[in-house]
Amino acid sequence: MTRALKGPTDHVVVVGAGLAGLSAALHLLGAGRRVTVVERAAGPGGRVGRLVRGGYHIDTGPTVLTMPEIADEAFDAVGAALRDRVELIPLHPAYRASFADGSTLDVHTDADAMETEVERFAGPAEAAGYRRLRRWLTELYRAERHRFLDADFDSPWQLLGPDLVRLAALGGFGRWETGVARHLRDARLRRVFTFQALYAGVSPARALAAYALIAYMDTVAGVYFPRGGMHALPRAMAEVVEAAGAVVHYGRPVTRLERSGERITAVITGQGRIPCDAVVLTPDLPVTYRLLGRTPRRPLRLRHAPSAVVLHAGCDRTWPQLAHHTLSFGHAWRRTFDELTRTGELMRDPSLLITRP
């Protein structure tokens, strides 16, 4: 992604050493900029954190990696390679779905393996529907990847074009749940290919079908786990950032930004002032707005997405019936989403995600 900025951009300060900040730093270094990274925590990772308790090393954020080619693009910007720094283990199955009626389904990203599993689970008609669904998800991804996901927009008018027409023709502006239902009749299978709407903070019945490309990432493109845990990725990125010449400061919260007109000329931390030509801000939006001293005007108030209750447990045994990811679906579905996204209640009949690395 590119953004034109008038004036000098020789020295850029990146605030935040999570995946976004480290990726930005690598791309800037590859473009010949001098880069300083400032991070409030004692080490890299941000949301992809690491908790060490009683000898257990626990990933505190994401538990799998999808689309590793995006991370590899950042490494490649400075002549490095993801595969030389991080060993990625393909997950087979990507998920195991367990339903309230006692049935189970292994979700494979390989098309033939998944078609066989769907036929065992729900019959040949649903297996044929899965094939059609897989083609639809792939077409959605191809329509969105470079034109909408990997692009900057300074104006809504920049969205207009043949790719928008193509996305509309694919049903991208309909509802995610409806799009999946055109291919699958089994309600359990529909859950497997629509629960990802919660990643965007909405229910499948309300989410635009364009968001179904998340299901593509999960069920078609492949799911991976870095050896050593998810934190191995930002740790490797941080090592490459420093090896490529960036200066990295940990344990330095940014307190304010210094301006000259419309330009940021320095980043101020508790340890001093860092002059710069430009700044990249990657903290959470409320922090970013506070540092900028302004909040964008919106026609509608922001509505927060649901949070999650997460239990991390270190165990001295394992459970063979659990995959790396096991989705335990309750009987309830629509009511569950109403509770999560509308009424703000705890789920009375919960669906759970259980991770066993």
Side-chain angles (χ1 to χ4, degrees):
M1 294 190 288
T2 59
R3 172 61 57 88
L5 188 65
K6 295 178 180 178
T9 57
D10 299 323
H11 179 210
V12 182
V13 173
V14 177
V15 179
L19 295 185
L22 294 169
S23 176
L26 288 168
H27 283 289
L28 287 165
L29 288 163
R33 303 304 194 270
R34 185 163 60 93
V35 176
T36 301
V37 180
V38 184
E39 166 59 47
R40 68 177 181 177
R47 294 291 189 206
V48 193
R50 162 73 50 89
L51 181 67
V52 180
R53 289 289 186 276
Y56 292 97
H57 292 238
I58 300 167
D59 285 323
T60 59
T63 52
V64 291
L65 178 66
T66 57
M67 300 179 72
E69 65 272 13
I70 294 178
D72 198 38
E73 287 173 2
F75 282 93
D76 184 60
V78 295
L82 173 63
R83 64 182 178 275
D84 295 334
R85 299 283 179 161
V86 181
E87 181 186 352
L88 296 182
I89 304 167
L91 295 182
H92 304 295
Y95 293 95
R96 178 164 293 149
S98 174
F99 299 93
D101 64 3
S103 59
T104 60
L105 173 79
D106 280 353
V107 179
H108 300 282
T109 53
D110 176 77
D112 293 336
M114 188 58 183
E115 184 176 10
T116 300
E117 177 69 355
V118 171
E119 183 168 356
R120 176 201 67 79
F121 180 78
E126 292 297 86
Y130 160 72
R131 280 286 189 177
R132 294 193 301 272
L133 174 65
R134 185 183 178 98
R135 286 194 293 270
W136 179 63
L137 293 174
T138 302
E139 289 172 0
L140 276 177
Y141 171 76
R142 288 172 178 167
E144 295 181 58
R145 169 66 168 92
H146 295 292
R147 185 63 183 86
F148 298 103
L149 291 184
D150 193 13
D152 281 324
F153 297 103
D154 294 321
S155 164
W157 300 111
Q158 292 176 275
L159 288 165
L160 301 178
D163 294 298
L164 190 68
V165 175
R166 183 184 175 202
L167 183 58
L170 288 168
F173 298 105
R175 297 301 174 189
W176 184 340
E177 189 175 70
T178 303
V180 171
R182 283 200 297 268
H183 306 286
L184 299 173
R185 296 177 63 86
D186 190 290
R188 298 166 300 172
L189 288 174
R190 292 181 188 178
R191 293 187 185 191
V192 168
F193 291 97
T194 60
F195 80 90
Q196 299 91 342
L198 269 183
Y199 299 168
V202 293
S203 73
R206 295 178 58 233
L208 289 178
Y211 283 106
L213 64 86
I214 308 174
Y216 168 88
M217 299 171 193
D218 271 3
T219 66
V220 177
V223 179
Y224 302 86
F225 186 66
R227 188 172 299 281
M230 284 295 297
H231 188 67
L233 176 59
R235 192 167 63 245
M237 293 177 77
E239 290 170 357
V240 173
V241 163
E242 293 195 70
V247 175
V248 182
H249 298 295
Y250 295 116
R252 290 200 184 184
V254 174
T255 56
R256 66 185 179 89
L257 304 175
E258 197 173 280
R259 292 174 175 275
S260 176
E262 290 297 311
R263 298 296 296 262
I264 304 297
T265 55
V267 171
I268 311 300
T269 74
Q271 287 75 27
R273 178 179 181 273
I274 305 173
C276 62
D277 299 309
V279 63
V280 175
L281 298 173
T282 70
D284 290 338
L285 277 179
V287 177
T288 297
Y289 292 156
R290 176 176 56 79
L291 290 173
L292 291 173
R294 61 173 182 263
T295 301
R297 295 177 180 176
R298 298 178 182 273
L300 298 173
R301 290 181 60 187
L302 281 177
R303 190 166 179 269
H304 291 287
S307 188
V309 176
V310 181
L311 170 66
H312 296 297
C315 305
D316 59 4
R317 54 161 291 188
T318 188
W319 291 266
Q321 70 272 26
L322 297 178
H324 181 97
H325 267 175
T326 298
L327 294 157
S328 177
F329 291 106
H331 279 290
W333 190 240
R334 289 186 181 276
R335 189 186 75 201
T336 292
F337 285 106
D338 284 339
E339 289 166 347
L340 284 172
T341 65
R342 289 181 178 268
T343 64
E345 301 173 81
L346 290 175
M347 294 180 286
R348 284 174 284 176
D349 180 16
S351 292
L352 305 174
L353 170 63
I354 305 163
T355 301
R356 189 206 64 169

